[in-house]
Amino acid sequence: MPYQKLALLTALGIATVATPAFAVNGHYPPGIEGLGAAAAPPPGLYYRGYLLHYDIDEFNDASGDALPGNNSGTVTALAHRLIWMTGQTFLGADYGVETIIPMLDTELDVGPGSFSDDGVGDIFVGPVILGWHGQQWDVTFATGHWFDTGDFDATNPASIGKGYETTMLTLGGMWHFDAARTWNVSALSRYEIKTEQGETEITPGDSWLVEWGLGHRLANGLELGLVGYDAWQLEADDGAATDDKAERHAIGAEVGYFWPAAGVILKGAYYHEYDASGGGMRGIESEGDALRLQFTKFL
């Protein structure tokens, strides 16, 4: 398989796992895709497994100040994702579909209480992936829906389900500085629109995030780069006790490698969150460090 096609798959970034403490007032946790997260792959069927471990150092209020006391936690997620690029085109773009089934284990220590939950989280179905490709650029648009399938308990902040549904719109672009595609810069944005949370009758406000990366592929196939994300809650939650809006920012590094003969790609990244502020129905936002591993196989 030519490298250009492999590079497109490593860059695939349409949707992924949902974690209760990591996402900004929504389902999508930022920093999952990283380098080149704005290019759809060539026609074919693909499996991608995500392993995410998020260590929470503190919980911050709306001003970005840490809550008093020893507050910490962990989120570990394993998500199974299938992507099918059909070989058909629409509006000049390659057309595909996808689905994601996340499995989560959450442990939180907040104030005097400890909370935990594990199991299958909210499932994502994406009926539209559109990928446009040029000589040195790629553009991707996608839409999909997170369904309220995971268990949710309003009294348990570690619940693996959200208790509401989310429609997610994705738009991103990638530019290669040279014809050989050894250097690239990318940005991938996601906009989330939520339904009402049944148990609380609160409707979370819309949120928007951008994942970005600057990468370089070496002659031996190793890819290295700088990655980061910025996420904002744009609207206050309807029915919540506060009008505060959540926000978080992070920077990190990523490394990846591919085996063309085996049709396998491995990628890993580390992110450090340097700023986070709480808002919405929780009133607080976690701040910590994340380790993310990806395994991709061409089926």
Side-chain angles (χ1 to χ4, degrees):
M1 182 179 294
Y3 172 76
Q4 286 78 4
K5 291 187 176 181
L6 284 169
L8 286 176
L9 184 61
T10 64
L12 180 62
I14 308 303
T16 185
V17 303
T19 58
F22 194 21
V24 175
N25 201 50
H27 276 87
Y28 184 80
I32 292 300
E33 295 294 345
L35 290 177
L45 181 63
Y46 308 92
Y47 167 80
R48 173 169 285 179
Y50 299 85
L51 179 62
L52 169 70
H53 183 76
Y54 178 53
D55 280 315
I56 302 170
D57 298 326
E58 61 190 34
F59 289 93
N60 297 343
D61 60 19
S63 300
D65 298 324
L67 298 181
N70 296 320
N71 303 297
S72 61
T74 61
V75 179
T76 302
L78 174 63
H80 305 283
R81 177 185 182 190
L82 286 174
I83 310 115
W84 178 36
M85 298 303 295
T86 64
Q88 305 298 313
T89 60
F90 180 71
L91 299 177
D94 296 334
Y95 171 72
V97 297
E98 64 177 334
T99 188
I100 303 160
I101 302 175
M103 303 167 62
L104 304 104
D105 183 10
T106 303
E107 306 282 342
L108 302 178
D109 293 311
V110 185
S114 295
F115 307 89
S116 64
D117 197 12
D118 63 83
V120 178
D122 295 341
I123 294 174
F124 179 84
V125 176
V128 177
I129 302 174
L130 297 176
W132 293 267
H133 310 293
Q135 184 67 28
Q136 292 181 220
W137 59 267
D138 301 281
V139 172
T140 296
F141 170 81
T143 184
H145 194 78
W146 295 94
F147 290 89
D148 181 18
T149 55
D151 291 336
F152 173 74
D153 180 355
T155 65
N156 183 5
S159 289
I160 59 173
K162 292 286 189 178
Y164 58 84
E165 300 186 359
T166 296
T167 296
M168 186 169 70
L169 306 175
T170 296
L171 179 64
M174 181 175 179
W175 174 257
H176 302 272
F177 294 101
D178 56 330
R181 297 190 169 210
T182 59
W183 283 94
N184 66 79
V185 61
S186 64
L188 182 71
S189 66
R190 305 185 193 273
Y191 192 92
E192 292 186 300
I193 306 168
K194 296 93 173 183
T195 65
E196 182 182 274
Q197 191 175 61
E199 284 195 31
T200 64
E201 298 183 344
I202 295 174
T203 301
D206 293 359
S207 55
W208 181 60
L209 67 91
V210 177
E211 296 177 277
W212 55 267
L214 174 64
H216 177 55
R217 176 176 56 88
L218 304 178
N220 62 4
L222 193 69
E223 186 172 23
L224 307 172
L226 185 70
V227 291
Y229 57 78
D230 302 276
W232 302 268
Q233 180 184 347
L234 301 180
E235 299 178 333
D237 292 351
D238 185 11
T242 175
D243 291 333
D244 295 328
K245 303 178 184 68
E247 184 175 333
R248 67 172 65 242
H249 306 274
I251 192 169
E254 181 173 309
V255 59
Y257 191 79
F258 72 96
W259 287 263
V264 169
I265 299 172
L266 291 179
K267 297 174 67 176
Y270 169 81
Y271 290 85
H272 171 68
E273 290 182 333
Y274 58 86
D275 185 34
S277 57
M281 64 180 68
R282 291 192 304 261
I284 60 173
E285 195 69 29
S286 62
E287 182 174 312
D289 301 282
L291 176 65
R292 177 251 301 165
L293 302 175
Q294 293 177 10
F295 169 82
T296 303
K297 172 64 178 175
F298 317 116
L299 302 177

